Amino acid sequence: MAQYRAKWPLGTEARLMFDILHYTFLRLGDAHRFGPPHLRQIVRKMAVQITTEKSRGNTMVTVPVHPEFAKSLRAARAAGIVGADVFTGKRVKGRVLPMNKKAWAMKFKKYAILAGVNEAKKNCHGVRKARAEVAAYADCTESQMMAMFGWTDPKMPAHYIAQANREKLGISGMDKVVAFDQGQSLDDFLRPVAENRTGTASGNEVVTFPGNIRKKL
């Protein structure tokens, strides 16, 4: 994603397509038809609100506009590449008109290839999955993720949250191991050599090794 953004700056169609996927978390079926009519003010915040294609219009996605997405939209408007009904699409006689989702995905893939990103899973859905991982790492709840990603089954956010929690536990666990190791010293376990030369009343000497192993000399 960093490679793609390095190639396509703000104010380009390629960057706007990416930012729509990256900051709205929409599926391809919704991203290709996303436009100004889907921006609404909710509780003093501008937000994306769109009914999902997958639910046949029965599920509403609500995602507040990310500050970086607001910058991208302003740059796109200044460049004159934003349509009245859809943000991105095909340009016909100076107007930006909707295009079907397959054509939209092919255009996005073309921009990705030009940026040097040409792997099978580096596509529209790949961006959405990456952002779901970010949401899980950011400690979003299942309900929050369902509202933002348009899921109706709690198993979907639970999958990402469980994966993030497992990795975070592994990281925090190693931090504890490192802290423990740094607080220990071999001097705590090895007695000074002089102590091992102390003789007994009978003339026999006892040498003490780590682990309380005693050997009679």
Side-chain angles (χ1 to χ4, degrees):
M1 293 192 290
Q3 188 173 338
Y4 186 103
R5 283 181 287 196
K7 171 68 175 178
W8 305 112
L10 294 174
T12 61
E13 181 184 52
R15 179 59 172 269
L16 180 58
M17 294 180 77
F18 173 84
D19 287 346
I20 287 173
L21 295 167
H22 191 250
Y23 293 118
T24 69
F25 320 143
L26 295 175
R27 298 184 182 90
L28 171 61
D30 304 317
H32 83 97
R33 61 190 179 87
F34 173 57
H38 300 117
L39 289 179
R40 298 167 188 173
Q41 188 167 353
I42 304 175
V43 194
R44 297 182 181 180
K45 284 184 176 289
M46 288 301 297
V48 174
Q49 273 203 328
I50 185 171
T51 55
T52 64
E53 176 198 51
K54 188 172 183 179
S55 70
R56 298 180 181 179
N58 293 319
T59 300
M60 176 76 75
V61 169
T62 300
V63 184
V65 174
H66 193 287
E68 294 301 317
F69 186 42
K71 292 181 184 178
S72 181
L73 288 176
R74 285 195 294 269
R77 288 195 177 98
I81 62 173
V82 172
D85 297 318
V86 290
F87 283 114
T88 58
K90 57 184 177 181
R91 187 172 291 275
V92 179
K93 296 181 180 180
R95 296 181 59 199
V96 179
L97 302 177
M99 60 195 306
N100 65 60
K101 63 180 180 181
K102 184 176 181 180
W104 200 93
M106 290 177 63
K107 179 182 276 193
F108 177 75
K109 187 65 177 179
K110 179 190 73 174
Y111 286 135
I113 293 173
L114 290 173
V117 183
N118 189 20
E119 299 176 46
K121 293 185 179 181
K122 308 300 183 186
N123 51 26
C124 296
H125 192 63
V127 177
R128 175 178 163 87
K129 290 181 67 175
R131 296 303 279 171
E133 291 177 1
V134 169
Y137 269 102
D139 294 327
C140 290
T141 65
E142 288 184 8
S143 297
Q144 288 171 333
M145 292 180 69
M146 289 174 71
M148 293 188 296
F149 288 86
W151 291 318
T152 55
D153 188 346
K155 290 181 180 179
M156 289 301 296
H159 165 75
Y160 288 101
I161 292 172
Q163 179 181 330
N165 286 344
R166 186 176 180 84
E167 292 178 357
K168 287 191 287 186
L169 285 171
I171 293 170
S172 61
M174 179 54 74
D175 288 341
K176 291 181 179 181
V177 171
V178 171
F180 180 85
D181 288 345
Q182 291 175 343
Q184 301 299 313
S185 171
L186 286 177
D187 293 339
D188 297 336
F189 303 100
L190 298 178
R191 297 180 63 186
V193 176
E195 293 182 21
N196 289 332
R197 291 179 179 174
T198 303
T200 61
S202 62
N204 294 326
E205 293 185 349
V206 176
V207 178
T208 304
F209 293 92
N212 294 323
I213 299 175
R214 295 191 175 184
K215 187 177 290 183
K216 205 169 187 180
L217 297 183

